[in-house]
Amino acid sequence: MSRKTDVCWMIGGPQGSGVDSSATLYARTMAVAGYWVYGKREYHSNIKGKHSYFQIRVNTEPVHSFIDPIHLLATFEKTTAQIHAHELVPGGALLYDPNTVDPDALEMESSVKRFPIPYDDLIKNMADQTGQNMVKLAITKNTISVAAAALQGVPFEAVETAILELFSGRRAKAIPINVLAARQAYECVSRLDGFEDYGFKLVEVSNKPEKGSRLLMNGAAACGVGKLKAGCRFQTYYSITPAVDECIYLEEHPEYGIVVYQAEDELAAINMTNGAVLTGARSSTATSGPGFSLMAEGIGWAGINEVPTVVFNYQRGGPSTGLPTRNEQGDLLFALHTGHGDFPKIVIAPGDMHECFEDAFYSFNYAERYQTPVIVLVDKALANSTQSIAQFDEASLRVDRGELCGPSPDFNPDDVKTGMQLYERFKITESGISPRPLLGEPGRVHWLTGDEHDPLGHITEKPEIRLQMMEKRMKKLDLASQEIPVDRQYNFYGPSQADVTIVAWGSTKGAVIDALKVLEKEHGMKVNFLQIRMMSPFPSEAVLDILRQAKTVLSIESNYSGQLAQLIRLRTGFDIQHQVLKWTGRPISETEVVAAVKEVAEKASRKVVLTCGH
């Protein structure tokens, strides 16, 4: 029986039962064995009890998204089996606890193989061998579930190495019992009827990567690493999903000199960040949905005072509390217009792990170079997805602090007057950028208020000064659009001439990238892809030039109203006729992209609504 190059595994269980731990161990096992992985995490907003699941796609080649069909489902409780068994492909496998799951009562393909795992018996055996309490050993059910690796032909050594890596450091004492649990489960699965005939064993990877050449991480961690690399030294937040994942990651790494502060609310978080930035510390805040709404006034204050504040908005389902732990790309238009009145802001949207890292790094350069707020839009799917990737390319990264003026050259520490010299912080310049002093620098006295002001910062309502100040601030966007490299504004994939051109942004990038290969190889379709990465300043001319040459254009977004399509129409006048939209709170899969593109190509559908996922 031929082995496979692309297999999808899923584990599910009650919220808080360790599903994430099991998936992390499985993903690490596959990465250790040399495979590329992509994991989708779905969880409820309640703390405990409701159904959650984690889906891991394993491939012999780099993979950037998940697929909907499941080849192997592992669970120790019945709800997961009842919800997901029908997603198993013909010939797939169900690993289940016979004490809790009745496979005959499930809706699934008759050819699905059934592999009963006696969880309680395995735990009792461990208790007998170690003398430990069975109740305490019940936590190893998550490790037992990773026995699926045996079915897929992955050697036990990979599982053992993954356990050693996962439980290193403070958790090292948990290594022996988890290795024992994995070994028992591995041997149990290998003895089950049908083991040899299971049709979705993986092709063995011959050229395994060198140790350290790949990373296994999620988007929130990638953003955190980018911030640390950029020299971020102060981060504020109020605990809110999914932004809190990045903040927790940063809290776990104080060795890099960063202070992470949980404020009493988002109003305090943005204002504390503004204050820290004025002292010269590279600072940021991270939030989601309702919290971002509360930050609008603080972002506006940073805008009128030309404060280089960085805000990460981890988008989730809205409005109001909405879907706190589910995906959406619904904040694009709000981010572009957040805060009343006109003021410049740079808005960027990474689409994969490497871009999360790069955009996190460059967001501080942009903020300080152009002295304006920078908003980074990351969606929940990207933040919570786990992926094996090549190491980040750090060789070309350079910190740009912008135009810092430093202390006055006339300053005399023995002369009070030279320390109190007034400074035109908002001096009118050709570029719109005024050399920036840090708070307290001698000879640089100026004012910061929320009102319109003159070059010194003094409040004014004079029409002629208002004209100058608005033009000064807004012209910085023109400078940014000229200076920021094109490949950080948008990317273009696929053939120059194609039957269909896809336009998308954010986490949808991965599903589109993977779908391009499937559409060409399996369906003979030529499809290309325009990924928009910079929303403000928008690359209008380049986008319009590409879309004018396209035969059929469709946009793919995780929101109800097609916000990117609206932005493109606003900035270019080009009206995208076909839209593929999803707003259920679940991310878009490669499977859905392929089906949607085919429907648009064959039926010329104006609107395709995607609904897959639980």
Side-chain angles (χ1 to χ4, degrees), residues 201-218:
K201 287 184 170 59
L202 286 160
V203 170
E204 186 176 355
V205 178
S206 55
N207 297 319
K208 294 184 180 179
E210 295 182 8
K211 188 173 182 179
S213 64
R214 294 181 191 171
L215 303 172
L216 181 66
M217 64 169 47
N218 59 35

Side-chain angles (χ1 to χ4, degrees), residues 405-450:
C405 61
S408 169
D410 301 326
F411 171 64
N412 181 351
D414 297 323
D415 185 353
V416 175
K417 290 184 178 180
T418 60
M420 295 297 292
Q421 289 176 347
L422 303 184
Y423 178 72
E424 291 190 329
R425 163 65 185 97
F426 306 105
K427 183 177 181 180
I428 303 299
T429 64
E430 185 176 348
S431 67
I433 298 172
S434 311
R436 178 170 64 101
L438 305 182
L439 287 184
E441 284 187 329
R444 303 302 190 195
V445 176
H446 61 283
W447 284 258
L448 297 165
T449 77

Side-chain angles (χ1 to χ4, degrees), residues 487-562:
D487 63 352
R488 286 189 232 142
Q489 299 186 41
Y490 67 91
N491 292 310
F492 187 79
Y493 302 90
S496 57
Q497 299 298 318
D499 303 314
V500 177
T501 296
I502 298 174
V503 184
W505 64 291
S507 64
T508 309
K509 173 184 179 178
V512 175
I513 290 291
D514 288 340
L516 294 183
K517 302 174 186 177
V518 177
L519 288 164
E520 181 178 13
K521 185 177 179 180
E522 299 182 12
H523 304 285
M525 296 179 65
K526 286 188 176 182
V527 182
N528 54 28
F529 170 38
L530 172 62
Q531 176 210 2
I532 308 297
R533 190 168 169 183
M534 179 158 285
M535 305 302 178
S536 175
F538 193 78
S540 302
E541 292 184 11
V543 169
L544 181 57
D545 184 58
I546 291 171
L547 297 184
R548 275 177 173 168
Q549 299 178 49
K551 294 179 180 178
T552 299
V553 180
L554 67 88
S555 60
I556 303 180
E557 304 185 57
S558 289
N559 57 58
Y560 181 87
S561 58

